[in-house]
Amino acid sequence: MTAIPSFTGDANPYGGGDPYADYRTADFPFTQYADLADRRLGAGVIAANDEFFAQRENLLVPERAEFDPEHFGHKGKIMDGWETRRRRGASAEHPWPTAEDHDWALVRLGAPGVIRGIVVDTAHFRGNYPQAVSVQGASVPGSPSPEELLGDDVKWTTLVPRTPVGGHAANGFAVSAEQRFTHLRVNQHPDGGIARLRVYGEVVPDPAWLSVLGTFDVIALENGGQVENASNLFYSPATNTIQPGRSRKMDDGWETRRRRDQGNDWISYRLAAQSQIRAIEIDTAYLKGNSAGWASVSVKDGDTGEWTEILPRTRLQPDTNHRFVLPTPAVGTHARVDIFPDGGISRLRLHGSLTEQGTAGLTARHQELGG
């Protein structure tokens, strides 16, 4: 197993130029999973005990944190993150915060699921980052208020124990709790600032909800679909193709580098569970001079099943949503889109419903994970 790099201590004071030049980061193995705290999935920072210097909502901004050394406001330096005021002790004789003092923020995951890793990013917080962080998770049905989440009857599971972190660094933590979580409590000890929070994992949908929907997108990230592999990720992640809604700009889809051989590019997916697929959408929104020329779609049933083409190689138009009704439903657990020869698509939708076997498997996993 790959060891997770650990960053501790201050970064150097900002000395001008590119503020990311001395930023500390690493390739964390769990970033292959989707970000369950993605705003596009409906995630939110619903409460915090303090946000004096910088708002809690900045934690989930999708873009990396920005830094303007000249940007000051009435409360001081304006930071692109969540920053609390400096804690003080109880008296002149004891001016220091206690070991138990900490600030917290409550995060609602956009899609409940099993968490594989967390990144607490302290970019640009060089001398004002927390000494340590900890993260807890809870599974609470419905849409609980902050007051309900803070109640004594909510069970919180430690995902990241209190751990020292470094300033101006991507602090990554592997998570081993095999449970389904809906909310997180992010703690910083005793105070300070965090720029961004990323929560990587696997979506575990509610089978009862999918059942009443009837026909739905069985490959959508929010419904439990996931990308397993892709031929090329040069310009953008393949997970974009199963995000909610339509793409709103070119980099909100999947685009590959230009091929100079006779091959083609592809993405393989795992569906929410075994499904019966009845219709397909392939969208090339905002991909105008770089959309794929042709595409085909195949499915297989089980990890060792054979790929069966359900949409033959079909011409695609730039910046267009293409819809195809299948002559007969296709059953499978995995799907693959091939594009020819390269370029990109913005979204792939596979409309259908779970089979009896798929429903049973998803229900068993949901119960096993405490859903």
Side-chain angles (χ1 to χ4, degrees):
M1 180 168 176
T2 304
I4 303 297
S6 178
F7 305 107
T8 56
D10 293 341
N12 293 324
Y14 176 63
D18 179 7
Y20 274 101
D22 60 341
Y23 175 68
R24 295 174 288 176
T25 187
D27 291 327
F28 301 115
F30 47 74
T31 55
Q32 63 179 297
Y33 296 100
D35 181 5
L36 304 183
D38 194 323
R39 283 289 297 169
R40 290 174 292 181
L41 290 173
V45 187
I46 60 176
N49 71 309
D50 187 293
E51 47 186 331
F52 185 86
F53 286 116
Q55 293 78 19
R56 64 182 190 262
E57 289 87 356
N58 290 334
L59 283 172
L60 304 188
V61 170
E63 294 80 19
R64 72 177 188 173
E66 297 181 352
F67 180 73
D68 182 351
E70 305 299 326
H71 197 190
F72 285 83
H74 294 293
K75 294 183 179 180
K77 180 73 184 73
I78 295 177
M79 297 294 290
D80 185 7
W82 168 50
E83 185 180 6
T84 66
R85 72 193 78 196
R86 299 185 188 220
R87 283 184 170 269
R88 299 299 187 222
S91 66
E93 291 73 26
H94 297 280
W96 310 279
T98 69
E100 292 75 31
D101 284 344
H102 67 279
D103 293 316
W104 53 264
L106 295 178
V107 176
R108 179 190 64 243
L109 297 180
V114 179
I115 298 169
R116 302 302 184 192
I118 295 173
V119 174
V120 177
D121 189 348
T122 58
H124 314 305
F125 289 92
R126 296 170 178 268
N128 51 346
Y129 60 93
Q131 181 184 32
V133 300
S134 61
V135 183
Q136 300 159 292
S139 182
V140 183
S143 304
S145 67
E147 292 75 21
E148 289 171 320
L149 289 170
L150 295 171
D152 294 336
D153 57 336
V154 174
K155 177 186 175 182
W156 291 94
T157 300
T158 298
L159 306 180
V160 178
R162 182 170 176 166
T163 306
V165 294
H168 196 45
N171 300 277
F173 307 93
V175 176
S176 58
E178 201 68 20
Q179 298 178 49
R180 179 181 185 267
F181 295 103
T182 61
H183 294 78
L184 298 184
R185 176 171 171 148
V186 181
N187 306 300
Q188 48 177 336
H189 309 266
D191 54 40
I194 298 170
R196 297 288 187 267
L197 176 73
R198 305 294 185 230
V199 184
Y200 298 98
E202 301 173 60
V203 177
V204 180
D206 182 350
W209 175 253
L210 297 183
S211 177
V212 299
L213 290 180
T215 296
F216 61 93
D217 182 4
V218 299
I219 204 172
L221 180 61
E222 61 188 320
N223 294 332
Q226 59 182 289
V227 169
E228 289 201 321
N229 205 352
S231 60
N232 187 273
L233 302 172
F234 190 83
Y235 285 114
S236 45
T239 303
N240 282 351
T241 61
I242 54 175
Q243 289 282 3
R246 294 199 71 196
S247 172
R248 297 186 178 184
K249 53 182 180 170
M250 190 173 71
D251 67 349
D252 191 22
W254 170 61
E255 182 188 359
T256 70
R257 65 189 306 160
R258 300 189 188 211
R259 276 191 171 268
R260 303 306 186 196
D261 58 20
Q262 300 301 305
N264 74 283
D265 289 314
W266 51 268
I267 307 173
S268 62
Y269 307 85
R270 180 182 291 273
L271 308 185
Q274 188 190 63
S275 305
Q276 189 178 66
I277 301 164
R278 293 185 286 274
I280 298 171
E281 285 186 78
I282 301 176
D283 196 352
T284 58
Y286 290 95
L287 295 161
K288 298 179 179 181
N290 50 353
S291 66
W294 292 262
S296 65
V297 177
S298 303
V299 300
K300 69 176 182 178
D301 194 24
D303 292 328
T304 60
E306 296 292 328
W307 288 108
T308 301
E309 191 173 72
I310 61 173
L311 178 71
R313 193 180 303 188
T314 303
R315 190 73 165 97
L316 299 182
Q317 299 300 319
D319 195 27
T320 300
N321 192 28
H322 310 75
R323 291 177 171 174
F324 310 95
V325 176
L326 300 183
T328 57
V331 174
T333 57
H334 296 70
R336 172 178 166 133
V337 61
D338 284 83
I339 63 170
F340 303 86
D342 57 22
I345 61 174
S346 61
R347 296 290 188 270
L348 176 69
R349 306 294 188 208
L350 301 181
H351 300 288
S353 55
L354 299 182
T355 63
E356 288 187 12
Q357 178 181 325
T359 299
L362 191 60
T363 300
R365 184 166 189 247
H366 188 262
Q367 293 173 347
E368 178 186 345
L369 296 171

